[in-house]
């Protein structure tokens, strides 16, 4: 298992509490918790291979940013982490994705329960065609996590958690489609958080938002750690620098480099990563 | 200034100087063969001030205006003519047309008598209530069966089946929509009716509970012609209409919304219930009314299967009966032999009633669509 955490990054003086080096990993593993990791994960559709032997771990209670040029496979990787690709025709995978010591592609794993534990928020806000309140508790209802009479209270507390409640307190029964894009995305975050996931996958959550909404979504994401483990795909390097503790750089389906965000994004080891983070390639 | 060269022949030589981005040679290269390139080749661009066909536009506009008013004119013409045809019947039968249930053409051998200045055969009396009941109940049976089946079929075609199979199934839906109603009628009379009356309906009739509402399934089952068979055949006829409309509707549900539901761990059923159907609910209502309109007005198949019994109410769901449309088509022939034309007039009034019923169904659907789209979204809007 520890092999998956191995990387060729050497220990530097500026590194934080998480250490990627092979030598230190055994000592650190007692304090260090890794709820989610992939081991030699290869993914593809039909005859094509999208991702090639990715081994990556996501330390508990931190934000990991996946960066890389368009088409490098980072979104596919993210969607493999909660089996969203199962619905895509021709999807295949090799290797494993381990959540709390269980391979999520094991036959005994129910993808519906998995997705409760590994939530996801998408690039575009995608509220359901029902009232704002019903949107927030739709997952709670689907998994029968609460009694009917408690639903309103749950919806309110979740909306308060994402900081949306004050703006829409008197519109709980209205359509969510009249909210602004940023508010809709916060609503989708509240909906994903309501089922109590331990890992949250964010697929470019601010790509379709204006700067003000982006900053409110970002500050919410930052506030969610260390309670949650967050994996965020982003095209916005500045955003990755602002919120992520760890970063992984993908290029052409390969994991080129991963480690602390400060290192990968500011002082990368590999030439391709350097080209990307300095803007010479994008 | 560069932009004007195309329209102004005199300046064309000056702007074709080398280095000019809009020089004709460049445009020639890019667009050789189409209009712009030809201007440049002929070196005689058209002036914007000259009208080529000065009257063409006005003519086209007026012609199109006329065409666009044609449907309205046709509708008004039909309603007006129907009303004038029905006038004698309205005068004689009055309100009784909508409250009584007799359907008697009267004696054509006796001398016609006059009521309120209208000549009609003695004993002639027309009440449309059983026909309205027949029309509504057959359509209701058809809708109740067809809507769930169509929604299910549409969802499976859009979401689950591989592209080739769903294309094939979609095509067969369209073929089913094209089957002439007289063929459906033949099938109902020769196959479905006998099958039901021999193998299915006696069993249902025997075991149906004798409680209100459900006791319509009890009683004599007849020979297979009647309400249930008509309703079933009608449902088959409207399924392709509703299902193919629903298929187009479900294709409009954004993938992002569906994926959001899946990412929350919803089952396929929940995704359909919570996202797909609410997203297009107003469209589904519209599609259902489209089917209802067809069922209300369907003539030939029902005329063949219903048993064509006028003047009595169906005793149970297997009873023979008739609908307005079926009665009009099956009785028009004998009505034309009525020398006073009163029978035809009554059929025309029945036609007016049918028209009003379809209109009301449409208005009701509009009302429902409006109510639904208050909470959900109208088709095609949203994220």
């Amino acid at each position: 298992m520890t092999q998956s955490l191995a990387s060729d990054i050497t220990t530097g003086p500026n590194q934080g509490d998480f250490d990627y080096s092979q030598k230190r990993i055994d000592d650190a593993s007692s304090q260090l918790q890794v709820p989610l990791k992939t081991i030699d994960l290869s993914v593809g559709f039909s005859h094509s291979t999208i991702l090639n032997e990715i081994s990556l771990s996501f330390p508990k209670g931190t934000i990991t940013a996946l960066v890389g040029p368009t088409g490098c496979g980072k979104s596919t990787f993210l969607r493999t982490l909660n089996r969203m690709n199962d619905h895509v025709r021709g999807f295949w995978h090799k290797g494993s994705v381990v959540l709390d010591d269980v391979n999520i592609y094991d036959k005994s794993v129910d993808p519906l329960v998995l997705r409760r534990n590994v939530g996801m928020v998408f690039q575009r806000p995608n509220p359901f065609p029902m009232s704002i309140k019903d949107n927030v508790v739709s997952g709670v209802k689907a998994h029968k996590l609460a009694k009917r009479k408690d639903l309103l209270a749950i919806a309110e507390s979740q909306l308060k958690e994402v900081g949306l409640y004050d703006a829409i307190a008197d519109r709980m029964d209205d359509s969510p489609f009249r909210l602004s894009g940023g508010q809709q995305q916060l609503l989708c975050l509240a909906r994903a958080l309501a089922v109590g996931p331990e890992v949250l996958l964010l697929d470019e959550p601010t790509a379709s938002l204006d700067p003000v909404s982006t900053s409110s979504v970002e500050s919410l994401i930052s506030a969610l750690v260390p309670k949650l483990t967050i994996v965020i795909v982003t095209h916005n390097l500045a955003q990755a620098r602002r919120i992520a503790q760890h970063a992984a750089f993908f290029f052409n389906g390969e994991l080129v480099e991963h480690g602390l965000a400060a290192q990968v994004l500011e002082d990368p080891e590999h030439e391709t990563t350097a080209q990307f983070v300095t803007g010479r390639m994008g | 200034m560069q932009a004007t060269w195309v329209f102004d022949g005199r300046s064309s030589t000056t702007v074709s100087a080398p280095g000019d981005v809009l020089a004709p040679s460049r445009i020639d290269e890019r667009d050789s063969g189409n209009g712009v390139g030809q201007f440049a080749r002929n070196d005689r661009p058209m002036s914007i001030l000259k009208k080529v066909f000065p009257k063409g536009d006005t003519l086209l506009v007026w012609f199109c205006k006329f065409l666009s008013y044609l449907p309205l004119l046709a509708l008004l013409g039909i309603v007006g003519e129907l009303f004038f045809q029905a006038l004698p019947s309205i005068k004689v039968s009055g309100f009784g047309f909508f409250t009584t249930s007799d359907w008697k053409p009267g004696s054509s051998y006796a001398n016609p008598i006059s009521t309120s200045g209208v000549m009609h055969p003695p004993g002639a009396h027309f009440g449309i209530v059983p026909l309205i009941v027949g029309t509504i109940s057959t359509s209701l049976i058809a809708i109740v069966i067809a809507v769930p089946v169509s929604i299910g079929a549409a969802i499976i075609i859009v979401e689950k089946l591989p592209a080739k199979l769903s294309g094939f199934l979609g095509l067969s839906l369209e073929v089913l929509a094209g089957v002439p109603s007289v063929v459906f009628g033949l099938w109902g009379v020769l196959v479905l009716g006998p099958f039901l009356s021999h193998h299915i309906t006696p069993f249902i009739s025997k075991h149906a509970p004798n409680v209100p509402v459900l006791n319509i399934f009890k009683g004599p089952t007849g020979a297979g012609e009647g309400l249930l068979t008509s309703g079933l055949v009608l449902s088959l006829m409207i399924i392709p209409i509703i299902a193919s409309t629903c298929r187009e509707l479900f294709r409009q549900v954004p993938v992002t919304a569906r994926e959001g539901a899946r990412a929350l761990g919803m089952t396929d059923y929940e995704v359909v219930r919570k996202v797909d159907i609410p997203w297009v609910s107003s469209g589904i209502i519209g599609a259902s009314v489209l089917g209802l309109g067809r069922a209300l007005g369907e003539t030939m198949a029902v005329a063949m299967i219903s048993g064509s019994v006028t003047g009595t109410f169906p005793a149970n769901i297997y009873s023979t009966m008739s609908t307005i449309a079926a009665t009009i088509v099956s009785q028009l022939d004998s009505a034309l032999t009525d020398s006073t034309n009163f029978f035809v007039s009554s059929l025309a009034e029945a036609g007016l009633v049918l028209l009003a019923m379809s209109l009301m169904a449409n208005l009701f659907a509009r009302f429902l669509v409006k109510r639904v789209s208050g909470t959900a979204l109208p088709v095609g809007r949203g994220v």
Side-chain angles (χ1 to χ4, degrees):
Chain A
M1 290 294 123
T2 50
Q3 219 171 359
S4 65
L5 298 165
S7 81
D8 50 1
I9 297 172
T10 49
T11 317
N14 315 336
Q15 286 201 357
D17 53 342
F18 184 67
D19 191 339
Y20 281 87
S21 74
Q22 178 67 65
K23 280 175 191 168
R24 295 269 201 88
I25 212 86
D26 295 327
D27 313 333
S29 59
S30 49
Q31 303 103 40
L32 179 75
Q33 284 177 297
V34 178
L36 183 66
K37 63 191 164 196
T38 65
I39 302 166
D40 296 333
L41 181 70
S42 297
V43 169
F45 300 103
S46 301
H47 300 297
S48 65
T49 304
I50 308 290
L51 293 165
N52 202 6
E53 301 200 339
I54 310 284
S55 291
L56 187 58
S57 352
F58 303 99
K60 191 178 177 67
T62 61
I63 300 175
T64 305
L66 309 182
V67 296
T70 306
C72 67
K74 51 193 193 307
S75 280
T76 304
F77 178 74
L78 194 75
R79 290 165 58 89
T80 311
L81 300 181
N82 67 344
R83 294 185 59 171
M84 283 300 283
N85 284 330
D86 289 16
H87 295 281
V88 183
R89 285 207 181 91
F91 169 73
W92 59 264
H93 78 282
K94 274 184 223 147
S96 48
V97 179
V98 179
L99 176 73
D100 299 330
D101 300 325
V102 179
N103 181 4
I104 65 165
Y105 282 94
D106 197 86
K107 271 185 186 138
S108 60
V109 171
D110 180 356
L112 303 182
V113 180
L114 166 74
R115 290 182 198 136
R116 198 192 122 191
N117 290 320
V118 183
M120 191 168 199
V121 172
F122 296 83
Q123 189 169 353
R124 285 169 155 270
N126 52 356
F128 303 149
M130 51 180 85
S131 73
I132 291 172
K133 178 208 138 198
D134 287 339
N135 257 285
V136 180
V137 294
S138 54
V140 178
K141 270 185 183 163
H143 291 284
K144 300 190 174 58
L145 299 177
K147 286 181 183 145
R148 184 168 283 272
K149 62 179 167 61
D150 300 330
L151 289 177
L152 184 64
I154 292 173
E156 281 174 3
S157 73
Q158 287 301 331
L159 288 172
K160 276 174 191 157
E161 189 178 342
V162 300
L164 195 57
Y165 184 72
D166 293 334
I168 58 162
D170 53 340
R171 289 193 279 164
M172 293 286 276
D173 293 319
D174 285 4
S175 164
F177 296 101
R178 298 197 185 98
L179 301 178
S180 73
Q183 286 174 326
Q184 287 188 20
Q185 193 64 307
L186 287 173
L187 178 68
C188 293
L189 270 160
R191 186 174 71 189
L193 294 171
V195 292
E198 56 175 315
V199 178
L200 193 58
L201 310 176
L202 306 172
D203 191 357
E204 299 183 44
T206 60
S208 63
L209 303 183
D210 63 278
V212 177
S213 307
T214 298
S215 85
S216 62
V217 169
E218 274 180 17
S219 57
L220 171 65
I221 294 170
S222 302
L224 290 174
V225 291
K227 216 173 78 188
L228 288 178
T229 305
I230 292 177
V231 185
I232 178 170
V233 165
T234 180
H235 264 120
N236 184 341
L237 283 171
Q239 180 176 60
R241 289 188 179 105
R242 281 195 295 267
I243 61 173
Q245 285 90 50
H246 301 94
F249 174 67
F250 283 71
F251 186 65
N252 283 344
E254 308 275 349
L255 176 62
V256 177
E257 186 166 358
H258 69 291
L260 289 171
Q263 190 191 338
V264 174
L265 301 174
E266 306 297 342
D267 185 21
E269 289 209 327
H270 290 258
E271 179 55 24
T272 15
T273 320
Q275 281 184 352
F276 182 75
V277 298
T278 54
R280 278 175 284 154
M281 171 185 78
Chain B
M1 280 303 107
Q2 285 176 349
T4 59
W5 72 271
V6 176
F7 309 108
D8 189 350
R10 284 161 298 179
S11 60
S12 65
T13 46
T14 54
V15 288
S16 56
D20 194 319
V21 278
L22 278 174
S25 60
R26 288 287 289 272
I27 287 167
D28 243 345
E29 226 174 84
R30 204 173 50 202
D31 282 318
S32 56
N34 74 14
V36 178
Q38 271 156 16
F39 278 157
R41 261 201 302 278
N42 296 342
D43 206 32
R44 287 197 54 191
M46 193 185 292
S47 161
I48 49 165
L49 300 174
K50 194 177 163 193
K51 273 200 167 180
V52 188
F53 303 113
K55 299 228 169 86
D57 270 1
T58 337
L59 209 71
L60 182 72
V61 166
W62 278 102
F63 184 61
C64 289
K65 263 187 188 167
F66 170 70
L67 289 183
S68 67
Y69 282 113
L70 261 186
L72 181 70
L73 288 176
L75 181 68
L76 288 178
I78 289 169
V79 173
E81 178 61 23
L82 215 51
F83 182 76
F84 280 116
Q85 289 282 343
L87 213 51
S89 164
I90 294 171
K91 272 184 189 159
V92 174
S93 304
F95 207 63
F97 195 71
F98 302 99
T99 53
T100 56
S101 55
D102 285 343
W103 193 266
K104 292 178 190 148
S107 168
S108 53
Y109 300 109
N111 284 328
I113 56 171
S114 166
T115 311
S116 340
V118 177
M119 299 297 285
H120 62 89
H125 184 94
F126 297 99
I128 203 177
V129 187
L131 296 183
I132 293 180
V133 170
T135 306
I136 290 178
S137 46
T138 46
S139 302
L140 220 59
I141 293 173
I143 280 288
V144 164
I145 295 169
V147 170
V149 170
S150 304
I151 291 176
I155 281 179
I156 219 77
I157 287 176
V158 172
E159 295 220 16
K160 283 284 161 197
L161 296 181
K164 270 185 190 167
L165 188 56
S166 81
F168 175 72
L169 281 184
L171 186 73
S172 58
L173 269 183
E174 267 139 44
V175 171
L176 191 63
V179 174
S181 64
V182 69
V183 175
F184 272 112
L186 263 183
W187 178 76
V189 170
L190 299 179
V191 182
L192 184 66
F195 175 78
L196 285 177
S197 65
H198 291 157
H199 301 290
I200 310 286
T201 52
F203 179 82
I204 300 177
S205 169
K206 201 174 155 197
H207 294 284
N210 199 2
V211 292
V213 180
L214 283 183
N215 59 15
I216 55 165
F217 289 100
K218 292 206 83 73
T221 55
E225 290 186 347
L227 189 52
L228 183 64
T229 318
S230 306
L232 287 174
V233 170
L234 276 183
S235 76
L236 263 186
M237 296 174 76
I238 63 177
I239 280 172
I241 299 173
I242 305 178
S244 55
T245 315
C246 285
R247 188 183 50 157
E248 295 313 312
L249 288 169
F250 287 128
R251 283 196 180 138
Q252 290 179 25
V253 177
V255 182
T256 55
R258 227 176 260 159
E259 290 218 305
R262 290 218 176 95
L264 272 180
M266 288 191 186
T267 60
D268 284 348
Y269 168 74
E270 283 165 332
V271 174
V272 168
R273 257 268 335 260
K274 301 269 171 82
V275 178
D276 283 330
I277 292 180
W279 202 280
V280 294
S281 51
S282 57
I284 291 176
I285 292 175
S288 306
V289 172
L290 208 66
L292 181 66
R294 170 96 197 260
L296 286 174
E298 174 49 42
T299 310
M300 207 55 230
V302 182
M304 293 165 81
I305 311 163
S306 64
S308 300
V309 170
T310 52
T312 54
F313 291 100
N316 59 16
I317 201 164
Y318 318 107
S319 298
T320 52
M321 34 61 70
S322 190
T323 65
I324 298 177
T327 304
I328 292 175
V329 76
S330 56
Q331 301 203 346
L332 187 61
D333 216 21
S334 59
L336 288 170
T337 61
D338 179 2
S339 57
T340 61
N341 223 22
F342 183 67
F343 199 171
V344 172
S345 173
S346 294
L347 289 180
E349 190 174 354
L352 262 186
V353 173
L354 182 60
L355 197 73
M357 281 169 70
S358 321
L359 203 70
M360 278 193 290
N362 266 307
L363 288 178
F364 182 61
R366 272 170 189 273
F367 165 75
L368 279 183
V369 167
K370 241 184 193 165
R371 242 191 49 182
V372 167
S373 44
T375 52
L377 359 152
V379 175
R381 214 185 76 196
V383 198

